[in-house]
Amino acid sequence: MTESQKLDNRTLLLLALCGVLMHILLNGQYGFHRDELDVIMNARQLDWGYVAYPPFTPFIARLELLVFGESLRGLRIFPAIAQGVVMFLAGMIARDMGGKRNAQILTAFVVFIAPIALIAGTWIMYFAFDYL
């Protein structure tokens, strides 16, 4: 790996961390969404499958309940981290397709501001991890 690629990776990582931090800082508003309450109830009674989604999201919610309790911000940390990973991977894909540093940064930023990404990083719902 060349020095330029290492710098690109660090830049993408810093951008992804900024995105995660922004989600975490702004995720404590407006209370729980009704679908989040469903995920929380399923997290309390884990099963191998649910009508609406696979068991991965309730499992992650269960981990968050154990670590953070019923904290609104705490339950939304893993979706925010998932969106940070999406940003980083999108920048890496842009590099694999021949994009230079500016293209990688633009790709990661555009992925961050896409409406589905903004919502997926905000709520603990199944599509937060499907997007990843």
Side-chain angles (χ1 to χ4, degrees):
M1 184 177 290
T2 66
E3 277 302 313
S4 176
Q5 288 177 334
K6 288 181 184 178
L7 181 61
D8 292 348
N9 286 349
R10 279 182 264 170
T11 303
L12 287 173
L13 185 60
L14 180 64
L15 191 61
L17 287 174
C18 287
V20 170
L21 184 62
M22 183 179 288
H23 272 298
I24 290 172
L25 291 176
L26 299 175
N27 274 353
Q29 302 174 10
Y30 304 118
F32 290 103
H33 186 272
R34 65 178 180 207
D35 292 342
E36 285 180 305
L37 296 173
D38 184 40
V39 170
I40 291 168
M41 287 306 299
N42 290 331
R44 290 186 179 135
Q45 302 169 355
L46 288 177
D47 203 350
W48 281 105
Y50 303 96
V51 173
Y53 42 79
F56 182 73
T57 303
F59 175 72
I60 294 296
R62 177 68 170 264
L63 293 178
E64 290 178 330
L65 282 172
L66 291 174
V67 174
F68 302 110
E70 289 188 14
S71 164
L72 183 63
R73 262 200 190 114
L75 285 170
R76 294 175 174 176
I77 285 179
F78 285 164
I81 291 170
Q83 296 317 304
V85 172
V86 168
M87 289 173 65
F88 182 78
L89 290 176
M92 297 291 285
I93 290 170
R95 181 173 68 195
D96 286 347
M97 294 178 73
K100 304 294 183 209
R101 185 173 301 131
N102 288 339
Q104 296 169 34
I105 291 170
L106 182 63
T107 301
F109 180 72
V110 168
V111 165
F112 175 71
I113 64 169
I116 187 69
L118 289 175
I119 293 170
T122 304
W123 296 329
I124 176 78
M125 289 195 217
Y126 67 93
F127 60 83
F129 306 105
D130 287 351
Y131 190 64
L132 173 61

